[in-house]
Amino acid sequence: MKKLVVLVTVFVFALTLSACGNTEAGWDSTNNITVYTRDTSSGTRAGFMGGIGFDEAEEDDSVLVDGFVIKDNTGILNSITTDEYGIGYISLATLNDDVKGLAFNGVEPSVPNVVNNTYDLKRPFNYVTRAMDDYANETEKNIVLAFVAFMGTTDGADIITNEGAVALESTETWDDIAAEHPVCAQDNSDVVIRFGGSDSIQKIAEALSSAFAPKCGNFVPEHDHTGSSDGFKRTQGSEKDGDNYKHIGFASRPFKDSEAGEAGTQGQLAWDAIVVIVNLNNELNSVTAADLKNIYSGEVTTWEELLD
């Protein structure tokens, strides 16, 4: 009799969980979705909103769902590891096993799918330097030019790939072109080169500068990445002569018409993808552009609306 009571209790409990939309892990699809986003200065936000057909949200918070949360790349990643009902987006270069990266329009977020152009949320990683006549001295300018050349070598491509982005095709090594940059043969240990802009590119930029400094007279790389909008602004824009000026800035999106800059001072270093992430307990595995626009605009507010 006691055994029968236990079996009935277990059956009723399981039935209750099913009715509430709970999974075995306790995840409940009836819960509201917590929406995470970047701020309007972010190139990742511009690429994401544009990629899901929600262009008006690239620079306007008022069109987003009520209660959205603004965090940076690392902040969104860390939040989704603990927030079972959160959704956000990050750079493919930042994705790790602590969260679930969703397929987008039926295609998995991966380097091969970025290379073969089947993953739609793809975007360029770009750089911009100061104008050629706007350096404190020739040494700083020539180190910057050498760094840009290094990014385009197979040595630079290996570093970019190791950091999770998709490097551009290259055939030259740094040793092939080092003699074209005599500044790297001198002692530059008292020279500080300042890097900034996109925080999605920060990890790659730090790895590149760390590897290149010993090859170029041990200059001192200084990184301060505060968003794609600051990449141009602090090299050739309104803050180029301010306390936060930079020698090289990065943008994880195409440069805007207002950021055209001096000819020959901008270029691309890699491709990347934007990945939609959810908690590992989330049942969802794939999402469409329309789903995401509905979530971020507030037309869809619970997970069960996506799972039906």
Side-chain angles (χ1 to χ4, degrees):
M1 182 63 184
K2 184 176 181 180
K3 184 176 180 179
L4 179 60
V5 170
V6 171
L7 289 173
V8 170
T9 302
V10 169
F11 174 77
V12 170
F13 180 68
L15 192 63
T16 301
L17 285 180
S18 177
C20 292
N22 284 347
T23 68
E24 292 180 357
W27 190 78
D28 185 350
S29 64
T30 65
N31 267 297
N32 286 331
I33 302 170
T34 306
V35 172
Y36 290 84
T37 185
R38 301 291 305 277
D39 64 39
T40 54
S41 69
S42 166
T44 307
R45 171 165 169 163
F48 173 75
M49 296 299 179
I52 65 172
F54 199 10
D55 294 3
E56 57 269 41
E58 290 184 19
E59 298 182 356
D60 185 359
D61 286 340
S62 70
V63 298
L64 296 180
V65 61
D66 290 339
F68 64 87
V69 180
I70 292 180
K71 287 185 179 290
D72 62 15
N73 213 42
T74 303
I76 290 178
L77 181 66
N78 292 338
S79 295
I80 297 297
T81 62
T82 55
D83 186 345
E84 291 188 298
Y85 303 101
I87 189 169
Y89 52 89
I90 60 172
S91 164
L92 176 62
T94 310
L95 183 64
N96 63 30
D97 293 336
D98 293 331
V99 296
K100 182 192 289 187
L102 300 181
F104 178 73
N105 290 340
V107 179
E108 295 293 331
S110 68
V111 170
N113 288 338
V114 173
V115 173
N116 65 27
N117 286 320
T118 57
Y119 188 77
D120 292 335
L121 277 179
K122 179 180 178 180
R123 43 95 181 255
F125 276 174
N126 292 324
Y127 68 86
V128 55
T129 71
R130 298 185 73 80
M132 289 300 111
D133 62 351
D134 197 23
Y135 287 87
N137 53 62
E138 286 296 298
T139 298
E140 288 185 3
K141 181 178 78 173
N142 290 330
I143 291 174
V144 168
L145 293 176
F147 179 82
V148 169
F150 176 73
M151 288 195 293
T153 65
T154 55
D155 308 63
D158 287 343
I159 293 167
I160 290 169
T161 301
N162 288 340
E163 296 301 330
V166 181
L168 304 183
E169 186 175 354
S170 177
T171 57
E172 293 181 320
T173 68
W174 170 249
D175 287 343
D176 292 334
I177 63 172
E180 299 171 17
H181 301 279
V183 68
C184 292
Q186 65 188 43
D187 179 6
N188 297 313
S189 58
D190 61 344
V191 180
V192 176
I193 301 297
R194 305 175 71 171
F195 300 81
S198 169
D199 69 329
S200 294
I201 306 177
Q202 180 172 355
K203 188 173 63 168
I204 296 170
E206 288 176 342
L208 285 166
S209 67
S210 177
F212 185 59
K215 300 178 185 294
C216 197
N218 292 306
F219 72 86
V220 180
E222 184 178 283
H223 288 266
D224 171 32
H225 293 255
T226 51
S228 292
S229 293
D230 287 333
F232 179 83
K233 189 185 301 179
R234 295 181 177 180
T235 53
Q236 295 192 45
S238 60
E239 297 181 13
K240 72 182 186 64
D241 297 319
D243 292 340
N244 294 317
Y245 79 90
K246 302 292 182 252
H247 294 98
I248 302 177
F250 296 95
S252 53
R253 56 163 170 73
F255 288 110
K256 301 175 182 176
D257 291 343
S258 60
E259 301 171 327
E262 183 178 281
T265 60
Q266 297 177 342
Q268 185 178 351
L269 67 148
W271 285 105
D272 184 48
I274 300 170
V275 182
V276 179
I277 58 171
V278 295
N279 188 270
L280 291 177
N281 291 332
N282 196 309
E283 290 183 334
L284 197 67
N285 293 309
S286 182
V287 71
T288 67
D291 291 336
L292 291 169
K293 184 176 181 182
N294 287 336
I295 292 171
Y296 276 79
S297 66
E299 292 185 39
V300 167
T301 58
T302 65
W303 289 105
E304 63 182 353
E305 295 174 76
L306 297 170
L307 293 169
D308 288 343

